[in-house]
């Protein structure tokens, strides 16, 4: 499979784009005409530069509004087209992309359109070039693959073929079955891209909001599989225009693009192969020192956790299947995070069903090893995630970790209703959000839900949830442009490995809540319960009990959900949930939780200022 | 006219929202149910709090998915509705808003829907409450005004009326003529909002992307005028949900909302009244000292300007109708801007056709006087604009300014082809962009074009152009989220009164360019001209001459456009344009200009680091 990317997907100068694509392992790059302007040398040097970087030039993009004109306009279109062909030749591109005419004034006559393309194909043949014809959703007359195929068939020239634009297919709601009618050799190129939602006007969908395959909600992987099954050998090229993605450095864009490729390729292979998956969270590691670490230990004990094992300065706190490692070491990776920002979640331990397969996967997706600058307490493989976060990969529960033998049992026994870790929530800077999403999609094969916006008292928090196949590992990613949101405030002081809360599942939320000292629980505004009584037909006695215990409530088609939040230690807090069939994460309650937390923060700020 | 705003339009706590709305002069506020949760006291105190602030509670928003259910679901819906009515009563709202059911499972039978609302109206009547029924674009069965009117007519209860939702009308492409069929007394409330484009899926349009009237492209003013002409007396209420707007402080949101109201009201009045307008730019004031100011003077002289008048430390540099005031004073408002960020555009002088009318307008729109902390050199009215920018308002050209008598002629004569100031470009922080747009729309009655995105080498610049009625005064507003864009880099060091370039119109760009020393001109990448030759059928001799002189070219339906840019002094630069019928601002060339400027910046940075 020839993997390509379009230069439009990057910001910066053409040289940097070519270099980044080559280093990430792309076989080829399409060159946007506008990018040639900034190239630091004559166009002839572009191919040589690319060759030096070890990457091919796939095409020149794009001749537009060419076909279907009459008289002097037709003559001018052909003169322009000749210059485009010359330019393609000069930059060493073997193919020129032609976007079907978007000018509603152009002639719709299929015969004339074919005649124009036939003449152009002859001009291209003289120069040894191929033409790739792409129907855009916004094209005036040729806006479906079937239309474009009809034109290509009428012309019947060896050097004229189709460009399949994934987003244009989605925008036109084209049945992918139509692709089966295309002779594979007539597909010269495929433009792959994803989009966040189909609920956008087709012109807008085609123009903006593009995402790498896997970042959005479109069936790109299915399209890829269909094309591969047809046996097409044409280059596949990522063509993304997106403000948020362009704000990243070219190397990161290229890496995310390559991950997107591996993701669709893996989905394709999975039809016949088994794959590695996450099984469950193995443990959560906190880094902390002194009073702050003692404070965390006290809060864990209040929730029913017991310090069951100790190895040097690392303590394991356990309840049910939930394990918290409290790492008080004064060296190593976790301690570096402590030095940067104080008590923090310094790592997430994940159980993986097949460590060897996951290792291969990590290599494939360019997962980087985090180099420990000191002894690792668990003897587990370490992977760096988004925002500097750290993952420990284990083949089973923490007892199976090679370093576990060092831990001495204390004899203490947990006593509470916590069953397991339910989910973890991470905050990311807005420009890292999509890249972080791609990490979880590609590296851990997690699925994502459609984006959701949560109203924070001082802005909006953009949120996506991710889960493994059976929903045992759940994450939420959060980001916000507003400087005053709780998410952004947290990132300001804990921007490294920024996990802001860990949720535990329990089997009796009322018992959990009763066992907790009131000062350890986030106080819910009393009117929340007035509101709850409005929204749901709930037993007033239950509402009264939830009010007394500061418990949140939600409901979905699956069932009921109960939540409580603890106080916050250096920005990090816990959540205890009881799921009675409910499948979400209580997003409807997040604004109230943020408001309540903000009040605590503002009271602390006020105290600080007094 | 009763002016209202919905609490959803603000971020923060309900108390702050009520206070901000009251202080901006709103007569009433609608209370979103979710906002009650954060109110610091029992719901009963909300009306009292609002009364203390001098503002009324208009409604409780919103009972959803109520009508059209059967059996136990219907009973539950009525129990919920009863609690909503009780809550409305408790917060002192005279009306409950009901959004037509969005549940596709609900019954479409118009008779049942009417029966449910009839029963609800009776329950509301018992409590002395009114019901406002709103068809949403996303409602399952009742999604047009005509549908909702039919329901209201079937029920025929005094306390059941319609809520007209502007954005829902636009989303459903409802012919506003349908409003004429509604008895005015049956309209209980109007929700006013604008949207950036109609090219969005209807559900999305109704949910997100909302703007204050005047910030978007929808015919809100025409809708307002039509409703007023019908004689409706119902409250008009701004209901905006927008991330960018919510990130502003409540006081600014309320002020922008009030400006939006005055804008639609003014448009309504203008059918019978004359109005004040801008005539032309009067002058541009620069603040500078020492070598930097001398450098600017030198650049002005190179462009053919002459220092025609001097008054103390203020020099007037003139050519054609273009006037630059170079203010080297070491006190006063302009000097404060100098102290903050060095040489800058410290003020824009604007000619106004009727100063008295403009004064009234300024009062109306809460235009604030900038208090000068020292002597003003021109004796003109000073108005503060977005981002701390300063406007001097003149009844005519600068010679008519009261302070002009102090200026002594120098006898120097300009010699060049510059005719006038063509446009000015301002950068704004992303969160101030919409608020800044509202300032120009409301305070100076400028029209705006649809948003346009310009690709900067390191991100995307979001741009809107504004012009007065006859296009003599033109501005562009620019903002960008990317930290590395030229726009954002400029804002980092010149964030106050952030005008980054001033364009002059000339009648002979080639002559202007030949007269300029090459080191004063921004160097265009040579491949730009390769690209130009591809795009347009231009005389190769003209292309060669443009290449030699670093001239940019564009074309639109109106004609041709030629541009050149000067070097940059402390982030500010000039542009000289020749318009041959062209109406735009050369947005297509902006990415190349930004790239060329970035290269200069990066060379300077490299020198600095060596």
């Amino acid at each position: 499979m020839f993997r390509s990317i379009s230069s439009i997907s990057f910001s910066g100068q053409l040289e940097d784009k070519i270099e980044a694509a080559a280093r990430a392992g792309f076989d080829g790059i399409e060159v946007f005409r506008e990018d040639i302007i900034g190239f630091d040398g004559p166009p002839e040097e572009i191919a040589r530069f690319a060759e030096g970087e070890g990457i091919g030039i796939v095409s020149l993009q794009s001749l537009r509004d060419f076909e279907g004109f009459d008289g002097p306009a037709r003559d001018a279109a052909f003169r322009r087209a000749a210059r485009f062909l010359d330019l393609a030749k000069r930059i060493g591109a073997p193919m020129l992309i032609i976007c079907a005419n978007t000018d509603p004034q152009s002639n719709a006559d299929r015969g004339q359109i074919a005649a124009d393309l036939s003449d152009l194909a002859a001009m291209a043949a003289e120069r040894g070039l191929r033409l790739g014809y792409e129907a855009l959703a916004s094209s005036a007359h040729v806006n479906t693959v079937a239309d474009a195929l009809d034109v290509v068939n009428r012309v019947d020239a060896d050097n004229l073929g189709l460009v399949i634009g994934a987003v244009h297919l989605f925008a036109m709601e084209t049945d992918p079955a139509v692709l089966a009618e295309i002779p594979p050799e007539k597909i010269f190129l495929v433009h792959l891209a994803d989009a966040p939602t189909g609920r956008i006007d087709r012109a807008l969908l085609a123009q903006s909001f593009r995402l790498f395959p896997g970042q959005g909600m479109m069936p790109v992987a299915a399209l890829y599989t269909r094309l591969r099954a047809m046996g097409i050998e044409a280059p596949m090229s990522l063509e993304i225009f997106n403000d948020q993605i362009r704000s990243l450095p070219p190397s990161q864009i290229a890496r995310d693009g390559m991950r997107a490729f591996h993701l669709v390729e893996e989905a394709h292979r999975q039809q016949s192969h088994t794959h590695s998956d996450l099984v469950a969270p193995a443990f959560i590691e906190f880094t902390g020192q002194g009073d702050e670490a003692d404070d965390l230990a006290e809060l864990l004990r209040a929730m029913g956790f017991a310090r069951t094992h100790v190895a040097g300065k690392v303590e394991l706190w356990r309840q049910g299947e939930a394990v918290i490692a409290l790492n008080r070491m004064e060296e190593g990776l976790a301690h570096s995070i402590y030095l940067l920002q104080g008590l923090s979640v310094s790592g997430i331990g994940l159980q993986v069903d097949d460590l060897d397969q996951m290792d291969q996967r990590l290599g494939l997706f360019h997962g980087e090893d985090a180099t420990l600058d000191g002894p690792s307490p668990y003897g587990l493989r370490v992977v760096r995630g988004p925002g500097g976060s750290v993952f420990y990969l284990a083949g089973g529960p923490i007892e199976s970790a090679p370093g576990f033998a060092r831990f001495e049992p204390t004899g203490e026994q947990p006593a509470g209703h916590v069953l397991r870790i339910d989910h973890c929530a991470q905050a990311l800077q807005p420009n890292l959000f999509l890249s972080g999403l791609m990490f979880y999609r590609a590296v851990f094969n997690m699925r994502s839900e459609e984006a959701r916006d949560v109203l924070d008292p001082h802005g909006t928090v953009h949120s996506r949830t991710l889960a493994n196949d059976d929903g045992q590992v759940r994450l939420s990613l959060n980001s916000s442009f507003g400087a005053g949101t709780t998410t952004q405030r947290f990132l300001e002081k804990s921007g490294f490995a920024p996990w802001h809360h860990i949720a535990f599942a329990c089997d009796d939320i009322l018992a959990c809540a009763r066992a907790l000292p009131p000062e350890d629980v986030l106080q819910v505004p009393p009117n929340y319960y007035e509101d709850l009584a409005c929204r749901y037909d709930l037993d007033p006695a239950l509402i009264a009990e939830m009010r007394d215990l500061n418990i949140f409530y939600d409901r979905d088609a699956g069932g009921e959900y109960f939540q409580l939040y603890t106080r916050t230690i250096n920005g990090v807090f816990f959540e205890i949930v009881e799921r009675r069939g409910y499948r979400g994460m209580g997003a409807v309650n997040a604004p109230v939780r943020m408001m309540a937390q903000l009040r605590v923060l503002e009271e602390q700020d006020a105290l600080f200022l007094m």
Side-chain angles (χ1 to χ4, degrees), chain A:
Chain A
M1 237 285 305
F2 188 100
R3 301 189 194 102
S4 167
I5 189 166
S6 166
S7 71
I8 191 81
S9 309
F10 300 92
S11 60
Q13 203 164 323
L14 184 57
E15 287 88 328
D16 301 332
K17 299 178 180 200
I18 292 173
E19 193 181 278
R23 298 208 175 154
F26 282 93
D27 304 301
I29 185 165
E30 297 187 272
V31 175
F32 244 70
R33 209 199 70 231
E34 289 84 339
D35 270 324
I36 300 173
I37 298 174
F39 183 74
D40 209 6
E44 285 75 8
E45 284 177 18
I46 292 176
R48 205 172 327 141
F49 183 89
E51 200 185 334
E53 296 288 333
I55 189 171
I57 304 290
V58 171
S59 79
L60 171 68
Q61 294 183 272
S62 304
L63 176 62
R64 290 169 191 275
D65 300 340
F66 158 73
E67 74 279 24
F69 290 118
D70 300 307
R74 185 175 190 275
D75 297 341
F78 270 86
R79 283 196 300 273
R80 234 175 102 249
R83 291 190 298 261
F84 271 72
L85 288 170
D86 290 340
L87 184 62
K89 189 83 190 160
R90 291 173 68 192
I91 67 166
M95 176 161 55
L96 173 65
I97 308 296
I98 306 166
C99 299
N101 203 327
T102 60
D103 184 346
Q105 307 296 317
S106 68
N107 203 318
D109 180 68
R110 207 48 71 79
Q112 191 195 330
I113 290 172
D116 288 348
L117 283 166
S118 181
D119 290 354
L120 188 66
M123 287 162 62
E126 284 167 21
R127 292 162 175 90
L129 294 173
R130 305 171 94 198
L131 298 177
Y133 188 53
E134 182 169 19
L136 311 182
S138 56
S139 293
H141 311 300
V142 178
N143 54 18
T144 66
V145 168
D147 291 340
L149 178 63
D150 176 42
V151 172
V152 165
N153 282 339
R154 283 170 187 247
V155 174
D156 191 24
D158 285 346
N159 69 333
L160 175 69
L162 291 177
V163 177
I164 307 292
V167 167
H168 298 291
L169 287 189
F170 302 141
M172 295 300 288
E173 295 173 20
T174 299
D175 180 357
V178 76
L179 298 174
E181 293 163 27
I182 308 175
E185 69 279 7
K186 273 295 166 201
I187 296 179
F188 282 11
L189 186 77
V190 177
H191 277 148
L192 288 180
D194 205 338
T197 168
R199 300 179 301 147
I200 303 183
D201 169 276
R202 68 161 83 147
L204 269 186
L205 178 63
Q207 278 166 26
S208 318
F209 301 117
R210 289 199 184 187
L211 299 173
F212 281 121
Q215 288 176 334
M217 304 308 287
M218 298 288 142
V220 189
L223 177 66
Y224 176 91
T225 293
R226 184 178 281 271
L227 290 166
R228 288 296 296 271
M230 287 170 58
I232 79 148
E233 290 175 7
M236 302 269 193
S237 192
L238 298 169
E239 192 199 35
I240 317 294
F241 2 107
N242 180 308
D243 192 3
Q244 218 178 333
I245 291 175
R246 279 174 50 88
S247 74
L248 297 170
S251 58
Q252 195 165 349
I253 295 171
R255 193 196 60 191
D256 287 350
M258 192 48 81
R259 283 183 169 158
F261 252 119
H262 286 303
L263 191 64
V264 290
E265 287 165 15
E266 190 186 52
H268 171 52
R269 278 195 307 275
Q270 273 178 19
Q271 298 189 308
S272 48
H273 291 69
T274 60
H275 68 291
S276 61
D277 195 15
L278 302 178
V279 175
F283 63 96
I284 308 291
E285 181 191 57
F286 278 81
T287 175
Q289 297 289 329
D291 289 350
E292 233 175 16
D294 294 343
D295 195 21
L296 176 68
E298 203 174 298
L299 185 56
L300 289 170
R301 200 179 292 282
M303 287 190 286
F305 282 79
R307 191 178 51 176
T308 59
H309 294 77
V310 174
K313 293 193 167 180
V314 184
E315 305 160 3
L316 298 187
W317 290 77
R318 311 181 57 152
Q319 186 178 183
E321 295 164 21
V323 182
I324 301 289
L326 174 50
N327 184 338
R328 301 174 186 250
M329 289 165 68
E330 284 163 40
E331 58 185 339
L333 184 64
H335 189 60
S336 320
I337 295 175
Y338 174 81
L339 291 175
L340 288 171
Q341 57 196 32
L343 183 134
S344 304
V345 174
S346 47
I348 306 270
L350 292 173
Q351 289 187 41
V352 173
D353 64 356
D354 186 328
L355 267 179
D356 290 339
Q357 272 203 27
M358 184 60 82
D359 253 1
Q360 283 175 27
R361 190 180 176 97
L362 287 170
L364 187 70
F365 289 110
H366 305 258
E368 299 152 48
D369 284 10
T371 313
L372 294 176
D373 60 348
S376 157
Y378 321 103
L380 293 172
R381 182 146 168 61
V382 179
V383 177
R384 276 273 190 221
S389 54
V390 169
F391 295 93
Y392 299 103
L393 299 191
I398 192 161
E399 291 84 352
S400 67
F404 188 75
R406 295 195 312 115
F407 284 84
E408 298 285 339
T410 61
E412 292 180 31
Q413 292 298 326
H417 292 269
V418 165
L419 302 173
R420 67 184 74 87
I421 293 162
D422 189 86
H423 64 271
C424 307
Q426 185 173 29
L428 286 172
Q429 295 290 359
N431 64 334
L432 297 179
F433 189 79
L434 284 171
S435 187
L437 182 72
M438 180 53 80
F439 174 90
Y440 292 111
R441 291 277 290 119
V443 176
F444 293 138
N445 197 28
M446 298 179 85
R447 281 118 213 271
S448 66
E449 303 283 320
E450 195 164 349
R452 171 150 199 165
D453 284 343
V454 174
L455 291 185
D456 175 280
H458 293 313
T460 307
V461 177
H462 189 68
S463 184
R464 300 262 309 245
T465 58
L466 288 144
N468 73 332
D469 278 0
D470 68 358
Q472 289 302 300
V473 182
R474 273 190 267 222
L475 305 177
S476 88
L477 292 190
N478 303 281
S479 112
S480 165
F481 280 105
T485 60
T486 46
T487 305
Q488 206 55 33
R489 280 177 181 226
F490 172 71
L491 275 175
E492 259 167 50
K493 67 174 185 178
S494 302
F496 203 77
W499 299 97
H500 55 75
H501 87 264
I502 306 293
F504 300 116
C506 78
D507 60 7
D508 186 343
I509 188 96
L510 296 174
C512 283
R514 281 189 211 106
L516 270 168
E519 62 273 19
D520 281 341
V521 179
L522 179 72
Q523 301 298 301
V524 181
N527 286 342
Y528 173 79
Y529 299 96
E530 301 275 356
D531 190 63
L532 207 53
C534 264
R535 281 159 59 211
Y536 296 114
D537 227 9
L538 288 167
D539 176 359
L542 176 63
I543 292 185
E545 187 151 30
M546 290 195 288
R547 181 195 288 118
D548 287 346
L549 295 169
N550 290 289
I551 292 173
F552 287 93
Y553 178 86
D554 194 25
R555 190 188 279 178
D556 68 9
E560 292 186 302
Y561 192 53
F562 299 84
Q563 305 165 270
L564 71 79
Y565 295 94
T566 69
R567 64 185 169 91
T568 292
I569 303 180
N570 196 36
V572 186
F573 56 95
F574 297 98
E575 179 181 358
I576 301 178
V577 307
E578 183 184 342
R579 293 179 181 274
R580 296 187 189 161
Y582 179 91
R583 287 184 290 261
M585 298 211 204
V588 70
N589 290 322
V592 186
R593 185 258 296 165
M594 291 175 184
M595 182 168 60
Q597 289 177 324
L598 202 65
R599 285 199 188 165
V600 175
L601 263 180
E602 283 167 353
E603 275 165 29
Q604 286 167 348
D605 286 353
L607 282 175
F608 181 77
L609 291 170
M610 275 199 303

